[in-house]
Amino acid sequence: MEKYNVFDCTILELDRHHSDRKGNLTVVENGVTLPFDVKRVYYLYDVPGGASRGAHAHINLSQLIVAASGSFKVTLDDGNCKRSFFLNRPYQGLYVKPGMWRELDDFSSGAVCMVLASDIYDEDDYIRDYDDFLKYRNI
Ligand code: TYD
């Protein structure tokens, strides 16, 4: 599998339908919105202020991370470079390619972090130790 770097991970603008009287609607559709098909959706919520999530990498998984409500910061690390993204718009998603160490923090009150993932849950796809991650990245 190709090893990506943090500059391969970008904010995608999602389809947004606005109605003055009825609010907004955003669509994510397989085969249209994303470069991968979504097999799983999970979301983080009720994250206490000051808490940090993530601190792992995935070997094969691609993800789109969306601040469905509120805001938080995602820091990606490819072993050489770190890049932080502040997510606070439900119509934007951070496309995280495989092989990125990620940490999520600075959650606002009421934040909902929705993750669309390219595969079902598989603990074997995780790297949870940072030294193992650096070895995986040949650093
Ligand atoms: P984890 O991915 O470590 O969460 P975070 O990185 O946000 O802190 O997952 C936390 C727990 O939830 C862990 O015990 C595994 C479980 N889990 C599932 O069972 N299925 C899933 O799809 C996910 C993402 C986690």
Side-chain angles (χ1 to χ4, degrees), residues 42-53 68-72 104 106-114:
Y42 63 91
Y43 35 98
L44 306 172
Y45 51 97
D46 292 345
V47 179
S52 156
R53 306 285 311 223
S69 184
S71 62
F72 50 86
L104 289 78
D106 287 352
F107 284 85
S108 70
S109 139
V112 177
C113 168
M114 182 175 70

Side-chain angles (χ1 to χ4, degrees), residues 45 84 139:
Y45 51 97
S84 289
I139 290 165

Side-chain angles (χ1 to χ4, degrees), residues 4-7 9 56-58 74-85 96-103 130 133-134 136-137 139:
Y4 298 104
N5 66 52
V6 291
F7 298 102
C9 301
H56 63 252
H58 287 284
V74 184
T75 301
L76 301 180
D77 175 355
D78 59 23
N80 282 315
C81 266
K82 286 188 185 184
R83 201 172 166 205
S84 289
F85 300 83
V96 182
K97 293 202 173 178
M100 300 295 140
W101 189 265
R102 86 284 314 276
E103 291 186 5
Y130 192 72
F133 169 68
L134 293 179
Y136 171 75
R137 297 291 315 206
I139 290 165

Side-chain angles (χ1 to χ4, degrees), residues 40-42 44 52-56 58 63 102 104 120-123 126 128:
R40 174 170 53 120
V41 177
Y42 63 91
L44 306 172
S52 156
R53 306 285 311 223
H56 63 252
H58 287 284
Q63 293 171 307
R102 86 284 314 276
L104 289 78
I120 59 170
Y121 175 72
D122 176 9
E123 188 59 37
Y126 280 74
R128 291 192 182 273

